[in-house]
């Protein structure tokens, strides 16, 4: 694996090999120069310490950056340990839920959830970004190729020579074209060995970093999956499986794409290597041809070096003059343009200065005129007041003494009229407001009925009826009146009503004047059937949806889920009921919550029955209908729905992931009608679409 990863960049390998071959075959103008420290690293002999910020916000920002994305720093530029405001964060996070619980209702669980999710977000950020930083750091600081180290060129670069260097005067190479390789001392060999070890270790780090790019997001997703069950409100679906899947797919897309690119690059390198070997096998060259080409190449290099030395001495002065003229010629247009721009700006600045001075002089003239006018007006008013004598002052006092009593008398006389006007305006604008609370039938202030627009309970409408209610009013009600109507001609006396109570049989004196007994098998009497007219056609009165939650006294989460589900399908807020007795078999404890129920009337009732008949019942597998003996003999029918059937309601199905699995409860539905017996109630519900099966019990 390490060898394969090291060969993933074939272009750089080929370039290095070609560079070495060209360096060995070069002539004297090209020389070998040892690589110095200044050519690879910047001079850091006098490192500058970073100035610490004097503001609290800058320190918080730097601490936050180190927390969200930790990075390694140079030990010479940064101290080994630096104080941070986030070192005390665990204590603050531990106390924050308690403070939230003291300040707000249910504040502790909310703050705990927010803290857990925030810490999980930090760890997920680390799992996505830090492996890639590690991977790129192993690639950016790794030596280009270790093969050069094996041949002894770790500290040698190829550089063009100059005329002043003494190495250019070295003798030309031999006819074979081989170049003398400088001998490496013991320090260079030790450094080469260390570089080889560093390169191999960097390869291992690169593989581990690439593997962590795949594994860290999985570990982060598993951490988030574990944390979501520790939240105080897991039933609300804050972190769903969809969130985990999206995060995992998005984080694995980048490493998978990078792996595919590496495989493609490796494949192309293998193809080029194979083609090179095939070409080398096909092209066979004899040793005599190689020697001939080598001699010709040496002669050509000698001729080029001699011609270059002669041409350099003769054309140095001419070249300098020509370069000076070319530079002046290229720069002259820019200099002319700059001169013109400077002149234009000077003219504009002079014009603006003149305009500013003229405006200031105008403002000074206007200000002096205004001061002069104010002084003249003050002088005139002073002269007028000084000319008035004591006679005028005495006349003013006499007028004031006469006018003030008249004004006071007029104000006092107009007070009753003003009070009457105010009372009349208040009476005209008064609007009766009924009392806010009902205080009994004997209280002098009684609220109006809810149908009165002045009532506090008045609800305008309905402006439109549900579809099922419209069907009942237009079709079902007339049909029921036709089926159940019994005509009694005028003057017909009603028949004798059967005796519903039983008499006491026997000669005991205790039976005399004793009330009759109740019928057998029923502690209460059933309703009497009334003749059906257009005033009392059977209709829906209310629907009660009830859900008993087994284990709610132990785990309140089950009760919360049941209440949310029932409230979603009924559009009515649920009422929680407590157990009256303790029954261990059913996990009931006296006084503990055990069930939720809600009562539907009006529009909510018709909409719920329409959903039940049109959407839910047709999707129940092997559903025959409601049992024919489910009534209570008074026109009320009841049936139950399992948790799987409750999950088919549209409000539950569209947000099914928001509910914890296997915690959706079953419900019991009680339909109350205005019918007086079960036969009429079944007839009404059958006409509305509710199926029945089995023997009908009336």
């Amino acid at each position: 694996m390490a060898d394969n990863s090291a060969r993933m960049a074939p272009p750089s390998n080929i370039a290095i090999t070609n560079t070495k071959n060209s360096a060995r075959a070069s002539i004297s103008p090209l020389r070998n120069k040892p690589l110095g420290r200044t050519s690879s690293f910047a001079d850091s002999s006098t490192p500058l310490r970073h100035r610490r910020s004097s503001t609290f916000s800058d320190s918080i920002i730097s601490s936050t950056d180190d927390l969200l994305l930790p990075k390694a720093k140079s030990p010479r530029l940064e101290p080994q340990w630096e104080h941070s405001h986030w070192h005390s964060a665990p204590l603050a996070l531990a106390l924050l839920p308690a403070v939230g619980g003291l300040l707000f209702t249910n504040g502790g669980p909310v703050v705990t959830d927010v803290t857990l999710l925030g810490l999980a977000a930090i760890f997920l950020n680390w799992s996505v970004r830090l492996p890639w930083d590690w991977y790129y750091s192993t690639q950016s600081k790794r030596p280009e190729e270790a093969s050069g180290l094996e041949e002894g060129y770790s500290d040698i670069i190829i550089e063009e020579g100059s005329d002043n260097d003494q190495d250019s005067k070295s003798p030309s190479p031999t006819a074979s074209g081989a170049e003398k390789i400088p001998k490496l001392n013991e320090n260079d060999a030790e450094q080469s060995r260390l570089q080889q070890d560093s390169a191999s270790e960097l390869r291992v780090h690169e593989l581990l970093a690439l593997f962590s790019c795949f594994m860290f997001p999985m570990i982060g997703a598993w951490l988030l999956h574990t944390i979501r069950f520790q939240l105080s409100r897991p039933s609300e679906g804050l972190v769903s499986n969809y969130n985990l899947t999206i995060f995992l797919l998005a984080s694995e897309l980048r490493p998978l794409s990078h792996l595919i690119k590496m495989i493609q690059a490796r494949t192309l390198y293998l193809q080029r290597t194979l083609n090179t070997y095939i070409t080398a096998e096909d092209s066979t060259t004899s040793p005599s041809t190689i020697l001939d080409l080598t001699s010709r190449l040496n002669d050509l290099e000698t001729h080029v070096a001699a011609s270059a030395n002669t041409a350099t001495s003769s054309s140095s002065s001419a070249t300098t003059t020509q370069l000076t003229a070319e530079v002046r010629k290229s720069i002259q247009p820019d200099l002319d343009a700059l001169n013109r721009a400077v002149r234009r700006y000077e003219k504009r600045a002079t014009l603006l200065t003149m305009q500013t001075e003229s405006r200031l002089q105008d403002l000074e003239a206007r200000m002096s005129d205004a001061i002069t006018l104010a002084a003249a007006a003050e002088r005139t008013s002073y002269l007028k007041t000084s000319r008035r004598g004591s006679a005028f002052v005495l006349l003013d006092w006499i007028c004031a003494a006469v006018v003030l009593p008249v004004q006071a008398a007029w104000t006092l006389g107009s007070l009753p009229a003003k009070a009457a006007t105010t009372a009349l305006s208040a009476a005209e604008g008064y609007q009766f407001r009924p009392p806010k609370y009902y205080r009994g039938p004997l209280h002098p202030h009684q609220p109006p009925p809810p149908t009165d627009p002045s009532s506090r309970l008045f609800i305008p409408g309905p402006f439109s009826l549900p579809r099922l209610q419209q069907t009942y009013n237009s079709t079902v009600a007339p049909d029921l009146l036709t089926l159940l109507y019994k005509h009694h001609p005028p003057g017909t006396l009603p028949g004798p009503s059967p005796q519903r109570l039983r008499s006491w049989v026997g000669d005991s004196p205790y039976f005399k004047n004793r009330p009759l007994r109740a019928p057998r098998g029923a502690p209460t009497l059933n309703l009497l059937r009334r003749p059906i007219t257009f005033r009392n056609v059977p209709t829906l009165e209310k629907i009660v949806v009830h859900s008993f939650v087994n284990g709610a006294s132990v785990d309140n989460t089950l009760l919360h889920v049941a209440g949310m589900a029932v409230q979603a399908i009924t559009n009515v807020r649920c009422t929680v009921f407590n157990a009256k007795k303790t029954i261990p078999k059913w996990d009931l404890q006296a006084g503990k919550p055990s069930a939720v129920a809600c009562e539907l009337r009006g529009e909510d009732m018709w909409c719920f029955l329409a959903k039940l008949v049109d959407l839910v019942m047709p999707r129940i597998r092997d559903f025959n209908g409601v049992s024919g003996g489910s009534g209570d003999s008074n026109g009320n029918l009841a049936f139950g729905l399992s948790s799987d059937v409750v999950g088919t309601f549209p409000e539950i199905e569209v947000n099914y992931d928001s509910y914890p699995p296997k915690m959706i409860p079953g419900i019991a539905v009680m339909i109350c009608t205005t019918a007086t017996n079960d036969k009429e109630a079944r007839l009404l519900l059958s006409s509305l679409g509710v199926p029945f099966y089995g023997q009908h019990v009336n």
Side-chain angles (χ1 to χ4, degrees), residues 33-56:
K33 181 179 179 181
L35 179 63
R37 182 176 181 82
T38 58
S39 61
S40 59
F41 299 99
D43 188 8
S44 59
S45 59
T46 57
L48 297 177
R49 295 180 60 84
H50 294 287
R51 184 178 65 86
R52 297 178 61 86
S53 176
S54 60
T55 61
F56 180 75

PDB file of all heavy atoms in Angstrom, residues 33-56:
ATOM      1  N   LYS A  33      25.603  22.906  -7.810  1.00  0.00           N
ATOM      2  CA  LYS A  33      25.794  23.787  -6.646  1.00  0.00           C
ATOM      3  C   LYS A  33      25.065  23.187  -5.456  1.00  0.00           C
ATOM      4  O   LYS A  33      23.884  22.860  -5.567  1.00  0.00           O
ATOM      5  CB  LYS A  33      25.234  25.180  -6.958  1.00  0.00           C
ATOM      6  CG  LYS A  33      25.410  26.157  -5.809  1.00  0.00           C
ATOM      7  CD  LYS A  33      24.845  27.521  -6.196  1.00  0.00           C
ATOM      8  CE  LYS A  33      24.987  28.483  -5.045  1.00  0.00           C
ATOM      9  NZ  LYS A  33      24.428  29.814  -5.367  1.00  0.00           N
ATOM     10  N   PRO A  34      25.736  23.012  -4.323  1.00  0.00           N
ATOM     11  CA  PRO A  34      25.046  22.456  -3.141  1.00  0.00           C
ATOM     12  C   PRO A  34      23.907  23.357  -2.713  1.00  0.00           C
ATOM     13  O   PRO A  34      23.989  24.571  -2.816  1.00  0.00           O
ATOM     14  CB  PRO A  34      26.165  22.382  -2.084  1.00  0.00           C
ATOM     15  CG  PRO A  34      27.437  22.439  -2.854  1.00  0.00           C
ATOM     16  CD  PRO A  34      27.170  23.243  -4.079  1.00  0.00           C
ATOM     17  N   LEU A  35      22.848  22.730  -2.234  1.00  0.00           N
ATOM     18  CA  LEU A  35      21.653  23.454  -1.786  1.00  0.00           C
ATOM     19  C   LEU A  35      21.910  24.029  -0.400  1.00  0.00           C
ATOM     20  O   LEU A  35      22.144  23.297   0.550  1.00  0.00           O
ATOM     21  CB  LEU A  35      20.438  22.522  -1.754  1.00  0.00           C
ATOM     22  CG  LEU A  35      19.127  23.134  -1.296  1.00  0.00           C
ATOM     23  CD1 LEU A  35      18.705  24.224  -2.264  1.00  0.00           C
ATOM     24  CD2 LEU A  35      18.053  22.069  -1.179  1.00  0.00           C
ATOM     25  N   GLY A  36      21.871  25.362  -0.295  1.00  0.00           N
ATOM     26  CA  GLY A  36      22.068  26.020   0.981  1.00  0.00           C
ATOM     27  C   GLY A  36      20.775  26.171   1.741  1.00  0.00           C
ATOM     28  O   GLY A  36      19.693  25.994   1.218  1.00  0.00           O
ATOM     29  N   ARG A  37      20.896  26.540   3.000  1.00  0.00           N
ATOM     30  CA  ARG A  37      19.692  26.699   3.829  1.00  0.00           C
ATOM     31  C   ARG A  37      18.874  27.899   3.396  1.00  0.00           C
ATOM     32  O   ARG A  37      17.649  27.902   3.477  1.00  0.00           O
ATOM     33  CB  ARG A  37      20.110  26.837   5.298  1.00  0.00           C
ATOM     34  CG  ARG A  37      18.937  26.958   6.265  1.00  0.00           C
ATOM     35  CD  ARG A  37      19.418  26.997   7.696  1.00  0.00           C
ATOM     36  NE  ARG A  37      18.306  27.093   8.602  1.00  0.00           N
ATOM     37  CZ  ARG A  37      17.568  26.080   9.021  1.00  0.00           C
ATOM     38  NH1 ARG A  37      17.826  24.876   8.576  1.00  0.00           N
ATOM     39  NH2 ARG A  37      16.574  26.247   9.871  1.00  0.00           N
ATOM     40  N   THR A  38      19.560  28.957   2.908  1.00  0.00           N
ATOM     41  CA  THR A  38      18.835  30.173   2.538  1.00  0.00           C
ATOM     42  C   THR A  38      17.987  29.988   1.313  1.00  0.00           C
ATOM     43  O   THR A  38      17.068  30.764   1.074  1.00  0.00           O
ATOM     44  CB  THR A  38      19.838  31.311   2.292  1.00  0.00           C
ATOM     45  OG1 THR A  38      20.740  30.896   1.265  1.00  0.00           O
ATOM     46  CG2 THR A  38      20.593  31.648   3.557  1.00  0.00           C
ATOM     47  N   SER A  39      18.260  28.981   0.497  1.00  0.00           N
ATOM     48  CA  SER A  39      17.471  28.778  -0.718  1.00  0.00           C
ATOM     49  C   SER A  39      16.209  28.006  -0.479  1.00  0.00           C
ATOM     50  O   SER A  39      15.373  27.909  -1.352  1.00  0.00           O
ATOM     51  CB  SER A  39      18.312  28.050  -1.773  1.00  0.00           C
ATOM     52  OG  SER A  39      18.704  26.795  -1.267  1.00  0.00           O
ATOM     53  N   SER A  40      16.059  27.373   0.666  1.00  0.00           N
ATOM     54  CA  SER A  40      14.851  26.584   0.931  1.00  0.00           C
ATOM     55  C   SER A  40      14.012  27.132   2.066  1.00  0.00           C
ATOM     56  O   SER A  40      12.813  26.921   2.112  1.00  0.00           O
ATOM     57  CB  SER A  40      15.223  25.128   1.249  1.00  0.00           C
ATOM     58  OG  SER A  40      16.079  25.096   2.363  1.00  0.00           O
ATOM     59  N   PHE A  41      14.616  27.837   3.026  1.00  0.00           N
ATOM     60  CA  PHE A  41      13.863  28.341   4.173  1.00  0.00           C
ATOM     61  C   PHE A  41      14.118  29.838   4.306  1.00  0.00           C
ATOM     62  O   PHE A  41      15.204  30.342   3.985  1.00  0.00           O
ATOM     63  CB  PHE A  41      14.268  27.643   5.478  1.00  0.00           C
ATOM     64  CG  PHE A  41      14.028  26.171   5.455  1.00  0.00           C
ATOM     65  CD1 PHE A  41      15.046  25.289   5.188  1.00  0.00           C
ATOM     66  CD2 PHE A  41      12.757  25.663   5.659  1.00  0.00           C
ATOM     67  CE1 PHE A  41      14.819  23.946   5.149  1.00  0.00           C
ATOM     68  CE2 PHE A  41      12.530  24.310   5.624  1.00  0.00           C
ATOM     69  CZ  PHE A  41      13.558  23.456   5.369  1.00  0.00           C
ATOM     70  N   ALA A  42      13.111  30.539   4.815  1.00  0.00           N
ATOM     71  CA  ALA A  42      13.268  31.971   5.071  1.00  0.00           C
ATOM     72  C   ALA A  42      14.117  32.193   6.303  1.00  0.00           C
ATOM     73  O   ALA A  42      14.205  31.352   7.196  1.00  0.00           O
ATOM     74  CB  ALA A  42      11.894  32.618   5.232  1.00  0.00           C
ATOM     75  N   ASP A  43      14.754  33.334   6.337  1.00  0.00           N
ATOM     76  CA  ASP A  43      15.621  33.663   7.474  1.00  0.00           C
ATOM     77  C   ASP A  43      14.769  33.963   8.691  1.00  0.00           C
ATOM     78  O   ASP A  43      14.025  34.931   8.704  1.00  0.00           O
ATOM     79  CB  ASP A  43      16.482  34.873   7.107  1.00  0.00           C
ATOM     80  CG  ASP A  43      17.518  35.127   8.184  1.00  0.00           C
ATOM     81  OD1 ASP A  43      17.635  34.277   9.086  1.00  0.00           O
ATOM     82  OD2 ASP A  43      18.195  36.167   8.108  1.00  0.00           O
ATOM     83  N   SER A  44      14.867  33.124   9.682  1.00  0.00           N
ATOM     84  CA  SER A  44      14.053  33.288  10.892  1.00  0.00           C
ATOM     85  C   SER A  44      14.919  33.412  12.128  1.00  0.00           C
ATOM     86  O   SER A  44      14.608  32.904  13.189  1.00  0.00           O
ATOM     87  CB  SER A  44      13.082  32.113  11.038  1.00  0.00           C
ATOM     88  OG  SER A  44      13.802  30.916  11.100  1.00  0.00           O
ATOM     89  N   SER A  45      16.087  34.029  11.951  1.00  0.00           N
ATOM     90  CA  SER A  45      16.989  34.169  13.093  1.00  0.00           C
ATOM     91  C   SER A  45      16.434  35.093  14.154  1.00  0.00           C
ATOM     92  O   SER A  45      16.730  34.949  15.330  1.00  0.00           O
ATOM     93  CB  SER A  45      18.351  34.679  12.607  1.00  0.00           C
ATOM     94  OG  SER A  45      18.187  35.922  11.963  1.00  0.00           O
ATOM     95  N   THR A  46      15.662  36.083  13.744  1.00  0.00           N
ATOM     96  CA  THR A  46      15.061  37.024  14.708  1.00  0.00           C
ATOM     97  C   THR A  46      13.560  36.948  14.592  1.00  0.00           C
ATOM     98  O   THR A  46      12.926  37.760  13.902  1.00  0.00           O
ATOM     99  CB  THR A  46      15.545  38.447  14.422  1.00  0.00           C
ATOM    100  OG1 THR A  46      15.200  38.771  13.074  1.00  0.00           O
ATOM    101  CG2 THR A  46      17.043  38.559  14.603  1.00  0.00           C
ATOM    102  N   PRO A  47      12.931  35.940  15.151  1.00  0.00           N
ATOM    103  CA  PRO A  47      11.469  35.808  15.029  1.00  0.00           C
ATOM    104  C   PRO A  47      10.762  36.916  15.780  1.00  0.00           C
ATOM    105  O   PRO A  47      11.203  37.361  16.836  1.00  0.00           O
ATOM    106  CB  PRO A  47      11.178  34.437  15.650  1.00  0.00           C
ATOM    107  CG  PRO A  47      12.296  34.217  16.597  1.00  0.00           C
ATOM    108  CD  PRO A  47      13.500  34.878  16.007  1.00  0.00           C
ATOM    109  N   LEU A  48       9.671  37.358  15.218  1.00  0.00           N
ATOM    110  CA  LEU A  48       8.842  38.409  15.816  1.00  0.00           C
ATOM    111  C   LEU A  48       7.668  37.770  16.535  1.00  0.00           C
ATOM    112  O   LEU A  48       6.940  36.984  15.938  1.00  0.00           O
ATOM    113  CB  LEU A  48       8.340  39.371  14.730  1.00  0.00           C
ATOM    114  CG  LEU A  48       9.438  40.140  13.980  1.00  0.00           C
ATOM    115  CD1 LEU A  48       8.790  40.996  12.900  1.00  0.00           C
ATOM    116  CD2 LEU A  48      10.254  41.003  14.918  1.00  0.00           C
ATOM    117  N   ARG A  49       7.488  38.119  17.797  1.00  0.00           N
ATOM    118  CA  ARG A  49       6.355  37.602  18.554  1.00  0.00           C
ATOM    119  C   ARG A  49       5.103  38.372  18.164  1.00  0.00           C
ATOM    120  O   ARG A  49       5.125  39.579  17.981  1.00  0.00           O
ATOM    121  CB  ARG A  49       6.589  37.750  20.059  1.00  0.00           C
ATOM    122  CG  ARG A  49       7.737  36.921  20.581  1.00  0.00           C
ATOM    123  CD  ARG A  49       7.898  37.140  22.064  1.00  0.00           C
ATOM    124  NE  ARG A  49       6.709  36.766  22.781  1.00  0.00           N
ATOM    125  CZ  ARG A  49       6.404  35.544  23.181  1.00  0.00           C
ATOM    126  NH1 ARG A  49       7.223  34.562  22.910  1.00  0.00           N
ATOM    127  NH2 ARG A  49       5.289  35.307  23.851  1.00  0.00           N
ATOM    128  N   HIS A  50       3.988  37.646  18.048  1.00  0.00           N
ATOM    129  CA  HIS A  50       2.725  38.282  17.707  1.00  0.00           C
ATOM    130  C   HIS A  50       2.255  39.164  18.854  1.00  0.00           C
ATOM    131  O   HIS A  50       2.318  38.771  20.022  1.00  0.00           O
ATOM    132  CB  HIS A  50       1.652  37.221  17.418  1.00  0.00           C
ATOM    133  CG  HIS A  50       1.958  36.420  16.189  1.00  0.00           C
ATOM    134  ND1 HIS A  50       1.839  36.938  14.919  1.00  0.00           N
ATOM    135  CD2 HIS A  50       2.384  35.144  16.046  1.00  0.00           C
ATOM    136  CE1 HIS A  50       2.161  36.022  14.042  1.00  0.00           C
ATOM    137  NE2 HIS A  50       2.501  34.923  14.695  1.00  0.00           N
ATOM    138  N   ARG A  51       1.790  40.347  18.518  1.00  0.00           N
ATOM    139  CA  ARG A  51       1.274  41.252  19.545  1.00  0.00           C
ATOM    140  C   ARG A  51      -0.052  40.733  20.066  1.00  0.00           C
ATOM    141  O   ARG A  51      -0.968  40.474  19.294  1.00  0.00           O
ATOM    142  CB  ARG A  51       1.086  42.650  18.952  1.00  0.00           C
ATOM    143  CG  ARG A  51       0.645  43.673  19.992  1.00  0.00           C
ATOM    144  CD  ARG A  51       0.524  45.035  19.347  1.00  0.00           C
ATOM    145  NE  ARG A  51      -0.536  45.034  18.358  1.00  0.00           N
ATOM    146  CZ  ARG A  51      -1.822  45.263  18.619  1.00  0.00           C
ATOM    147  NH1 ARG A  51      -2.196  45.497  19.870  1.00  0.00           N
ATOM    148  NH2 ARG A  51      -2.726  45.263  17.669  1.00  0.00           N
ATOM    149  N   ARG A  52      -0.148  40.581  21.374  1.00  0.00           N
ATOM    150  CA  ARG A  52      -1.385  40.093  21.979  1.00  0.00           C
ATOM    151  C   ARG A  52      -2.427  41.197  21.961  1.00  0.00           C
ATOM    152  O   ARG A  52      -2.147  42.356  22.210  1.00  0.00           O
ATOM    153  CB  ARG A  52      -1.150  39.631  23.419  1.00  0.00           C
ATOM    154  CG  ARG A  52      -0.204  38.459  23.518  1.00  0.00           C
ATOM    155  CD  ARG A  52       0.024  38.072  24.953  1.00  0.00           C
ATOM    156  NE  ARG A  52      -1.214  37.667  25.593  1.00  0.00           N
ATOM    157  CZ  ARG A  52      -1.707  36.464  25.560  1.00  0.00           C
ATOM    158  NH1 ARG A  52      -1.074  35.523  24.905  1.00  0.00           N
ATOM    159  NH2 ARG A  52      -2.837  36.174  26.181  1.00  0.00           N
ATOM    160  N   SER A  53      -3.666  40.813  21.669  1.00  0.00           N
ATOM    161  CA  SER A  53      -4.738  41.800  21.580  1.00  0.00           C
ATOM    162  C   SER A  53      -5.075  42.327  22.963  1.00  0.00           C
ATOM    163  O   SER A  53      -5.064  41.607  23.957  1.00  0.00           O
ATOM    164  CB  SER A  53      -5.982  41.173  20.948  1.00  0.00           C
ATOM    165  OG  SER A  53      -7.030  42.079  20.946  1.00  0.00           O
ATOM    166  N   SER A  54      -5.415  43.595  23.034  1.00  0.00           N
ATOM    167  CA  SER A  54      -5.768  44.219  24.301  1.00  0.00           C
ATOM    168  C   SER A  54      -7.255  44.248  24.552  1.00  0.00           C
ATOM    169  O   SER A  54      -7.703  44.752  25.563  1.00  0.00           O
ATOM    170  CB  SER A  54      -5.237  45.653  24.327  1.00  0.00           C
ATOM    171  OG  SER A  54      -5.811  46.390  23.259  1.00  0.00           O
ATOM    172  N   THR A  55      -8.044  43.751  23.643  1.00  0.00           N
ATOM    173  CA  THR A  55      -9.504  43.752  23.785  1.00  0.00           C
ATOM    174  C   THR A  55      -9.984  42.355  24.070  1.00  0.00           C
ATOM    175  O   THR A  55      -9.383  41.374  23.641  1.00  0.00           O
ATOM    176  CB  THR A  55     -10.175  44.286  22.518  1.00  0.00           C
ATOM    177  OG1 THR A  55      -9.823  43.441  21.443  1.00  0.00           O
ATOM    178  CG2 THR A  55      -9.725  45.699  22.221  1.00  0.00           C
ATOM    179  N   PHE A  56     -11.108  42.299  24.783  1.00  0.00           N
ATOM    180  CA  PHE A  56     -11.685  40.988  25.135  1.00  0.00           C
ATOM    181  C   PHE A  56     -12.244  40.274  23.915  1.00  0.00           C
ATOM    182  O   PHE A  56     -12.155  39.057  23.806  1.00  0.00           O
ATOM    183  CB  PHE A  56     -12.779  41.203  26.172  1.00  0.00           C
ATOM    184  CG  PHE A  56     -13.445  39.936  26.609  1.00  0.00           C
ATOM    185  CD1 PHE A  56     -12.811  39.041  27.464  1.00  0.00           C
ATOM    186  CD2 PHE A  56     -14.717  39.613  26.151  1.00  0.00           C
ATOM    187  CE1 PHE A  56     -13.422  37.885  27.868  1.00  0.00           C
ATOM    188  CE2 PHE A  56     -15.327  38.466  26.549  1.00  0.00           C
ATOM    189  CZ  PHE A  56     -14.674  37.595  27.424  1.00  0.00           C
TER     190      PHE A  56
END
